[in-house]
Amino acid sequence: MRVYETEIASRLMLGTAQYPSPATLAEAFRRSGAGIATVSVRREAGGERAGAAFWDLVRELGVTVLPNTAGCHSVREAVTTAQMARELFDTAWIKLEVIGHADTLQPDPFGLVEAARILTEDGFQVFPYTTEDVVLAERLLQAGCEVLMPWGAPIGTGLGLTNIYGLRTLRAQFPDVPMVVDAGLGLPSQATMAMEMGFDAVLLNTAVAKAGDPAAMAEGFARAVEAGRLAFEADPMEPRDMAAPSTPVIGKAFLS
Amino acid sequence: MTRATVIGAGVAGLCVATELVRRGHDVTVFDPAPMPGPHHCSWWAGGMLAPFCEGETAEEPVVRLGQVSADWWESQGVPVTRRGTIVVTPGRDRRELDRFARRTRGHSLLDAGALAALEPDLAGRFDRALHVGEEAHLDPRAALRHLRTRLETDGVRFVAEQGRADGLTFDCRGLAARDALPALRGVKGEMAVLHAPDIRLTRPVRLLHPRFPLYAVPRADGHVMLGATQIESDDRRRRVRSVLELLSAAYALHPAFGEAELVEIGVDARPAFPDNLPRLIRRGDTIHVNGLFRHGFLLAPALARMAAELAFDGCKPEFYHEDHG
C-alpha cells in the first residue's frame, strides 16, 4: 500500500502503549512483522526529553514510527503535540487524534478537520483517526489528508467492526484512498473481516498489549491480516441461498 | 571480616547492606541523605507485598521470588500486616475482574456479603471482589528507617560524601546509575497520601479500571496511600492530570475519599530495564544491583541475597546479567 508517496510493506500497524514491558513490546513486533509503530507523544512526554529512554526503545524496533496525538481534546493541543512529535521523531507523519467525547473517546469531527487543515498547510502528512462518516471523510480529504483511519469501535473496547454497513459504504465511496481500520479491534477474526472488506491495513494496540501473551496475539493478528488480504485479492464468491454442491451429483445413485 | 561498600541507601542498598552484615562483612554505605527520605525512589513506594497481584503483568520470577519478601521483612523486625489484598472493579467493567482472576492465582472470589465481612467500609459498593489471601503490606518509610537505624547500630558506617571504595562495591543507586547502565530507563509513578478518617481499610485495595487503575494502601492513623500511575518517562513533575485520575479513581472506590484531607502528592521515576526485571551486573570490583522497577520492597530481599551469592559464593544467580557493554 502506498501512502504519501511511501510504500508500506506491512498491513499491520501496532501501538506501543500498555505492554507489560518494553521487552514484551519488542517481542510482539518481532513476531507480528508489523512495519509501523504508533507512539503517543503527549502522555509520555512531560515536556523536553523525559520520555527519551522509551522512545529510544521504540526506535530500536527498526520499524517506521508514526507518532500520534492520543489524548488531545482540542485543536490547539493536537497541533502543538504534532509539532513536538515532528521534532522528536524527525518525521512529517502524524496520526491525528482529536477526541471529542471523554467517555467513548469518539473523534471530534469539527476539530479533526480543522486540525488536519492546519497541519497539512504546515507540511505534515496527516493520518486522521476518524469515524466511518462519509461526509467527514470527504472533508478530511479536502483538508489535504491522503489516507483515512476509520474506527472499528471506540478505542480500547475490543468490540470489532460495530458498523459494518458504514465501513462498507466508506470503503465503496473512496475506492482509491488508502484506509486503515484503527481502534476497537479485539480479535484477529475482526481484523480479517476488515481486510476482506478491502481496507488496506489495520492498526491496533490494546488487543495485543493487554492479551495474556502479547507476542502470540500479535502473531495471530499478523496471520489474520494476511488471510483477509489474500481473500480480498482473490475476489471471493458471492453468498447465495441455493445450495450448490461442489461435487457433481449427476451419475450418482439416488438412494435416499 | 571482608570490607564492602554499598552506594545508595534506598531499599536496594539497605537490603544489600543488611545481607552483607548478616554474612559478617564490614560495610560502608555512601549516600548523601542523613536518613531515608524524598530523594530515594523507595520513599514513594506503596509498600504492597503483593506478588500474586503483580503477576497480572509481571514475569514469573516476580511472583515466585516476591513470596519470600513478607517473611524477610518480618524477620528484620519490620511490622508486616498480613491481611491479603482486595481486588474490585466498577460495575460496568466487571469483566476486568474475570480477566484479572484468570491471569493471577492465590485468590478467592467474594460476594458482597463476604467482602463486607472483610472490609466493612466497602459494604454495598461492589457485588463481588477477589481476596488474595497470602499477600501483605508494610509502611515503606518506617521499613527504610528501621533498616537504616539497625544497620547503624550494627556498626555500618553511613558516609554522605562518596569516597574511595573498599573491597567489593555494590552499586545500588537506582536511576542515578544510568551513567554506567545505559539500558536503565525511568518509569514515572505518582502517589498521593490522604488523611481519610471517615473510611477505614485494613488491607490494600486494588481498583481495576481500563483507564484509571488504582491501589489504596492503608497507613497508620487513618492515612491512605494512593498510587498506580505508570508512565514511560523520567519526568519528576507532579502532573495535574495524573493526580486528577488518582483522586477520581479513589472517589469511585469510595465517595468518602472526597472528604479526605490531601496530605501529600509525590512523584518519582522508578529504575527499570527493558524487561522490567531487576539485574545484577558485575564489572570488575563493582556489582550493580538495579532495575527493581515497581517491585522494590517485593524483590529487594531476594535480589540482595543473590547479590551476596554472586559476590562471595561464586555462583551466577537468577538475575545475573552478562555484561555486554
Side-chain angles (χ1 to χ4, degrees), chain B residues 39-230:
Chain B
H39 87 283
H40 296 118
C41 183
S42 35
W43 183 255
W44 306 105
M48 291 182 294
L49 306 176
F52 299 107
C53 284
E54 288 301 306
E56 182 203 5
T57 53
E59 305 278 343
E60 180 275 337
V62 176
V63 181
R64 176 167 37 87
L65 296 166
Q67 289 178 55
V68 304
S69 65
D71 287 344
W72 189 89
W73 287 105
E74 208 159 57
S75 73
Q76 302 305 316
V78 171
V80 172
T81 309
R82 295 171 180 265
R83 294 177 62 80
T85 305
I86 294 285
V87 185
V88 293
T89 184
R92 76 172 192 177
D93 302 311
R94 49 185 300 130
R95 278 183 291 191
E96 291 286 310
L97 199 69
D98 300 329
R99 181 188 52 78
F100 189 91
R102 278 202 311 276
R103 293 191 188 164
T104 58
R105 54 197 172 87
H107 48 69
S108 53
L109 187 65
L110 308 177
D111 60 15
L115 174 62
L118 280 178
E119 290 293 345
D121 279 6
L122 294 181
R125 297 214 42 82
F126 302 95
D127 61 1
R128 52 188 198 135
L130 296 176
H131 181 222
V132 192
E134 296 301 311
E135 296 189 330
H137 69 281
L138 50 71
D139 179 337
R141 296 176 182 180
L144 293 171
R145 281 195 211 99
H146 177 87
L147 281 194
R148 174 139 180 175
T149 309
R150 228 230 358 240
L151 286 166
E152 281 174 327
T153 311
D154 288 346
V156 170
R157 289 169 303 282
F158 283 82
V159 182
E161 290 290 312
Q162 188 168 330
R164 219 174 60 81
D166 261 340
L168 266 179
T169 298
F170 295 83
D171 186 325
C172 307
R173 287 179 294 149
L175 206 53
R178 226 175 347 183
D179 53 356
L181 305 172
L184 268 185
R185 74 186 199 288
V187 181
K188 180 181 180 179
E190 277 118 331
M191 60 85 88
V193 176
L194 308 182
H195 183 232
D198 293 345
I199 171 165
R200 185 169 178 272
L201 300 175
T202 67
R203 50 173 74 70
V205 176
R206 291 186 180 224
L207 178 75
L208 306 180
H209 189 282
R211 279 194 237 171
F212 315 125
L214 172 85
Y215 50 75
V217 189
R219 296 256 171 102
D221 306 321
H223 289 84
V224 177
M225 180 272 188
L226 306 176
T229 62
Q230 197 166 301

Side-chain angles (χ1 to χ4, degrees), chain A residues 18 20-24 42-48 50-51 53-54 57 71 77 102-105 210-212, chain B residues 57-59 92 99 103 178 184-186 210-211 230-235 237 239 241-242 245 273-276 293:
Chain A
Q18 301 184 319
S21 70
T24 316
R42 186 174 176 281
R43 287 312 305 276
E44 275 84 1
E48 287 98 48
F54 179 72
L57 291 169
E77 240 184 319
D103 198 62
T104 60
L105 300 179
K210 291 289 192 187
Chain B
T57 53
E59 305 278 343
R92 76 172 192 177
R99 181 188 52 78
R103 293 191 188 164
R178 226 175 347 183
L184 268 185
R185 74 186 199 288
R211 279 194 237 171
Q230 197 166 301
I231 302 172
E232 287 288 348
S233 165
D234 53 22
D235 174 41
R237 280 170 294 187
R239 294 277 162 187
R241 177 194 290 268
S242 297
E245 289 173 0
F273 288 107
D275 55 4
N276 291 348
F293 184 46

